[in-house]
Amino acid sequence: MPDDERRPTKLLDQLEEGPWPSFVTEIKKAGEKNPACNDLLQQLESSYEEKRGHWKHGGMVGVRGYGGGVIGRYSAMPEQFPRIAHFHTIRVNHPSGWFYTSDALRTLADIWERHGSGLTNFHGSTGDIIFLGTNTTELEPTFNELTQAGFDLGGSGSALRTPSSCVGQARCEWACYDTMKLCNDLTHQYQDEMHRPAFPYKFKIKCSGCPNDCVAASARADLSIIGTWKDAIRQDDAAVAEYAAAGLDIRRDVCDRCPTRCMDWDNGKLTIENRECVRCMHCINVMPKALRPGKERGAVLLIGAKAPIVKGALLSSVLVPFVAAEELEGTVNELLKRLWDFWDEHGENRERIGELIQRVGLANFLDGIGLDPTPEMVAAPRDNPFIFFREEEAN
């Protein structure tokens, strides 16, 4: 559709109202350089008017030698919006911790303006850099320029998705292991599993340096690697007293909000029953100058989180309660081999590993991967999504 015939976007324009940033504004800016973005807005306006989507998902598109990294996207209205008849998405593997130089960002932007819409998403839900919208003929040239600049494609489809991590020890004092190193090493080690889909469905690995879980691994990752400590919380009584003197209500804001009530404030003294601590980080977040993670650091490995796509959402559950930081990479590699072998043999099409555990039962799953059960796997019957009781068994 020629620019001079472009329809107004009255519904989308409402999304520019208010003080917050608007994706509509950004797409309009991109449309000044690339008219495909104007077609994108007009098709979206049609979707808002008709209350139905106008995208078709399908078609095998990609780059040579790779089975993933490109998501095919086609307009269902190509005659009306020819500039977005093809509007494929490219996933670009991000650096660990999402650290970029300004030169790297300019390089990525220049490549995408030459070959695509110029629209980007930093970052997708898995972590990848998302290049939004290009024609099939531009996929290979984009890929060639990306690789020449030192970048690679991320994962898509029934494959290992691009591992991601928080900034970890690069900037965070709470990080209990080197998240960026582990993420980088896993990414390089499992290139085939990322680029050549061969799994029953997607598999995500996310590395969080502490239980604050800044990459939301426990809600989204099939394998969550979350930093923790094995010994007692380090406590500075003088600093605790300073917080109290400054007006912090330690009983109300710290002790009463501890999920296991393992803390007590009595006569100006804070005591912690560390055997009952579940490492939630609440007390440390409230009093960071007084409380710190212990010195015996490592990570807990959790299994089975996912968003509600085919079936309902799952939060991850403890699989290995503690692995020392220096043993972490070797343990993860051995565990992944066992998990993938069992999943490959018993998983159904489009079944995440958490759903497989629900179907076969936790006991059978542990037996299948050769892992002994531990009490940490089940804190309480109703807290673990993999444990179910029939009504007659509960009575």
Side-chain angles (χ1 to χ4, degrees):
M1 179 182 294
D3 286 341
D4 55 6
E5 296 180 19
R6 185 167 68 88
R7 296 184 296 110
T9 53
K10 295 180 180 179
L11 295 177
L12 286 175
D13 291 348
Q14 295 179 34
L15 299 178
E16 296 184 280
E17 298 175 2
W20 45 84
S22 171
F23 74 92
V24 176
T25 302
E26 299 306 314
I27 296 177
K28 287 180 178 178
K29 288 180 182 178
E32 296 172 3
K33 291 185 176 180
N34 190 328
C37 297
N38 296 325
D39 277 16
L40 176 65
L41 282 172
Q42 291 161 33
Q43 179 172 295
L44 185 57
E45 180 76 9
S46 296
S47 292
Y48 279 30
E49 290 171 348
E50 300 169 22
K51 297 182 173 59
R52 58 189 295 263
H54 292 300
W55 290 112
K56 296 188 296 184
H57 181 84
M60 296 300 294
V61 292
V63 298
R64 286 191 294 271
Y66 283 52
V70 177
I71 296 90
R73 196 80 70 203
Y74 300 90
S75 172
M77 308 169 72
E79 297 82 9
Q80 289 180 255
F81 308 113
R83 298 187 186 101
I84 58 169
H86 298 189
F87 206 71
H88 308 312
T89 290
I90 299 177
R91 290 179 176 169
V92 183
N93 196 333
H94 56 275
S96 294
W98 300 291
F99 279 98
Y100 300 90
T101 64
S102 58
D103 284 343
L105 291 172
R106 290 188 179 95
T107 297
L108 290 167
D110 289 344
I111 290 172
W112 194 230
E113 285 194 351
R114 282 193 292 272
H115 298 289
S117 69
L119 297 173
T120 61
N121 177 4
F122 283 75
H123 299 86
S125 61
T126 298
D128 292 299
I129 305 161
I130 304 299
F131 282 179
L132 290 162
T134 193
N135 195 283
T136 302
T137 57
E138 294 295 332
L139 293 175
E140 204 70 41
T142 305
F143 175 64
N144 291 337
E145 285 204 40
L146 285 169
T147 55
Q148 289 169 12
F151 288 90
D152 198 357
L153 299 193
S156 68
S158 296
L160 173 65
R161 297 302 178 84
T162 316
S164 64
S165 73
C166 65
V167 296
Q169 294 174 339
R171 292 194 64 183
C172 180
E173 60 183 321
W174 307 136
C176 295
Y177 71 97
D178 190 341
T179 57
M180 291 173 59
K181 180 181 185 303
L182 181 61
C183 181
N184 181 76
D185 291 350
L186 293 174
T187 301
H188 283 87
Q189 182 161 348
Y190 296 111
Q191 290 288 296
D192 278 354
E193 287 76 9
M194 277 178 49
H195 294 316
R196 295 164 184 88
F199 290 166
Y201 202 19
K202 66 183 77 170
F203 192 96
K204 297 181 180 181
I205 302 173
K206 296 185 184 294
C207 307
S208 286
C210 78
N212 280 326
D213 193 11
C214 290
V215 291
S218 62
R220 299 188 299 174
D222 299 273
L223 180 66
S224 307
I225 307 170
I226 300 179
T228 188
W229 61 96
K230 195 174 183 180
D231 52 345
I233 294 174
R234 289 181 286 165
Q235 180 175 337
D236 184 336
D237 288 331
V240 172
E242 289 180 9
Y243 277 107
L248 177 65
D249 189 333
I250 293 178
R251 175 167 296 282
R252 183 193 68 188
D253 295 332
V254 180
C255 299
D256 290 349
R257 293 181 179 175
C258 172
T260 59
R261 299 299 177 94
C262 72
M263 312 183 77
D264 188 47
W265 175 251
D266 188 34
N267 293 324
K269 173 68 175 177
L270 180 68
T271 56
I272 305 174
E273 181 54 62
N274 279 279
R275 292 181 61 185
E276 299 297 324
C277 175
V278 292
R279 315 299 196 262
C280 75
M281 291 290 290
H282 170 70
C283 60
I284 296 174
N285 292 333
V286 175
M287 299 192 296
K289 295 180 180 179
L291 303 175
R292 302 185 68 81
K295 294 183 178 180
E296 192 176 353
R297 299 184 177 189
V300 56
L301 308 181
L302 301 100
I303 191 79
K306 60 176 285 291
I309 301 176
V310 178
K311 297 181 182 178
L314 289 174
L315 292 178
S316 57
S317 293
V318 172
L319 190 61
V320 181
F322 183 80
V323 182
E326 60 273 14
E327 301 171 3
L328 191 53
E329 186 167 345
T331 301
V332 168
N333 286 330
E334 174 61 27
L335 182 63
L336 284 173
K337 180 179 183 302
R338 298 186 192 187
L339 292 174
W340 290 344
D341 283 349
F342 185 82
W343 189 33
D344 181 59
E345 182 175 356
H346 299 285
E348 297 178 350
N349 186 41
R350 292 179 65 82
E351 181 178 53
R352 298 284 285 271
I353 199 165
E355 296 167 334
L356 168 65
I357 297 171
Q358 278 191 318
R359 180 168 58 83
V360 304
L362 181 60
N364 291 327
F365 174 75
L366 292 175
D367 184 63
I369 66 172
L371 200 63
D372 293 330
T374 66
E376 290 86 354
M377 293 176 179
V378 185
R382 296 303 179 192
D383 288 349
N384 190 313
F386 301 135
I387 304 298
F388 295 90
F389 291 91
R390 295 186 180 89
E391 186 173 351
E392 60 270 19
E393 293 175 341
N395 296 327

